[in-house]
Amino acid sequence: MTLTIVSSGGFTADAEVEIRRSARHIEKMDLNDFIGLWEEYYDKMHEEDKIYLPLRRVSFLAPPKE
């Protein structure tokens, strides 16, 4: 069984060491990983499942690059 640790603020160097040192397989997920998974899978979820994670896509327009 895989354990997943989620952190929106990233992981300290000590946390990274402990994750690698663990006898158990641990996956780490930071905010960028979460957003990537959300973009990939959220629209494929059943509506009743989305109740537990009600998210709304927000887009921002960036000025043209010079």
Side-chain angles (χ1 to χ4, degrees), residues 1 4 6 12 14 16 21-22 25-26 29 31 33 38-40 47 54-55 57 66:
M1 175 184 269
T4 303
V6 181
T12 64
D14 289 340
E16 297 269 358
R21 188 183 296 170
S22 176
H25 180 75
I26 299 176
M29 181 184 301
L31 187 58
D33 295 332
W38 170 55
E39 290 176 335
E40 185 175 348
E47 290 301 318
L55 301 174
R57 187 176 302 269
E66 295 181 16

Side-chain angles (χ1 to χ4, degrees), residues 1-58:
M1 175 184 269
T2 299
L3 176 66
T4 303
I5 300 175
V6 181
S7 172
S8 62
F11 296 89
T12 64
D14 289 340
E16 297 269 358
V17 168
E18 291 302 319
I19 289 169
R20 284 192 301 273
R21 188 183 296 170
S22 176
R24 201 170 167 188
H25 180 75
I26 299 176
E27 290 286 331
K28 59 186 175 92
M29 181 184 301
D30 62 15
L31 187 58
N32 289 332
D33 295 332
F34 174 78
I35 290 171
L37 288 170
W38 170 55
E39 290 176 335
E40 185 175 348
Y41 293 105
Y42 192 75
D43 291 336
K44 298 173 187 175
M45 291 173 58
H46 296 286
E47 290 301 318
E48 59 269 15
D49 295 329
K50 290 180 182 180
I51 292 170
Y52 298 106
L53 190 63
L55 301 174
R56 181 173 300 154
R57 187 176 302 269
V58 177

